[in-house]
Amino acid sequence: MNGWTAAGTALLLCGFAPAACGVATGRARRRVPAQNAATTFLSLVFLLLAQGFARPAYVDTALMLSVLGPAGTLLFVRLLADQLAEHPPGERRLRALAAVNYLAVAAVVLPLCVATGPGRAMVKLLIIGVLLALGCRVATRAVQAAAAMGHGRGAPAEGMSGDR
C-alpha cells in the first residue's frame, strides 16, 4: 500500500461512508445534499486509486461520476422539491457541506496534478476537478432554490402543465 491508496482508503472510510449513510437514512433534506457529497467523494477516491494502482482507466470512471453525479442530484431535487420545501435543509449545513466538497476536490486534484506532471493526464485531472466543483455549486443552488420555492401540493411541476 502506498500513500495514494492509503489516502483513497481514508477518503472512502471518512468521506464516502458517512455520506452514503446520509443518503440511505433520514429525510430528503439530508439525503439530497449527502448524495451530492457521496458522488464527489467517490470520484475523488477513484482518482486516488488510479494513481495508487497506476490504472489510468479509473480516471475515466471518476470523469463519468463527475458528470453524472450532479445530474443525479438535480434529478432528485426535481423529484423531491415538495419534501425539500416542507422541510428545508439548514443553510449553514448546505454551505458547510459545499465548503467540504470544495476543499476535498482541491486537496486531491492539486497533488495529483503535481504527481502527474504536465500533459494530457493533468488536463484531464483539472477538468474533473472543475466539473466536481461546478457540479457541487449547481447542486447546492438547486437544493436551495427547491427549498425556497417548492412546487406546492397538487400543482404540476414547472414545464409539466397540460397547456401547449
Side-chain angles (χ1 to χ4, degrees):
M1 178 178 274
N2 58 29
W4 299 110
T5 56
T9 303
L11 187 60
L12 187 66
L13 295 175
C14 298
F16 176 73
C21 182
V23 171
T25 61
R27 292 182 176 212
R29 70 182 191 185
R30 178 180 175 186
R31 291 188 320 245
V32 174
Q35 191 269 337
N36 185 38
T39 57
T40 300
F41 291 141
L42 192 59
S43 294
L44 296 175
V45 166
F46 277 121
L47 288 177
L48 288 167
L49 294 180
Q51 183 71 24
F53 294 134
R55 302 272 186 184
Y58 294 170
V59 175
D60 294 337
T61 307
L63 178 62
M64 180 193 66
L65 274 174
S66 68
V67 173
L68 296 179
T73 302
L74 292 176
L75 177 66
F76 285 125
V77 166
R78 177 76 171 174
L79 294 174
L80 300 172
D82 289 336
Q83 292 179 26
L84 289 170
E86 286 178 15
H87 302 286
E91 188 72 25
R92 282 184 163 166
R93 186 171 289 165
L94 280 176
R95 287 186 184 168
L97 190 57
V100 167
N101 279 349
Y102 297 145
L103 288 173
V105 168
V108 170
V109 171
L110 294 178
L112 284 172
C113 287
V114 170
T116 302
R120 291 175 59 190
M122 185 175 92
V123 172
K124 196 175 201 179
L125 287 171
L126 290 173
I127 289 172
I128 291 170
V130 167
L131 285 172
L132 287 171
L134 288 176
C136 175
R137 175 74 174 147
V138 168
T140 301
R141 298 270 307 196
V143 169
Q144 290 170 339
M149 295 190 312
H151 293 303
R153 287 276 182 225
E158 181 181 328
M160 301 296 239
S161 66
D163 301 335
R164 295 197 192 262

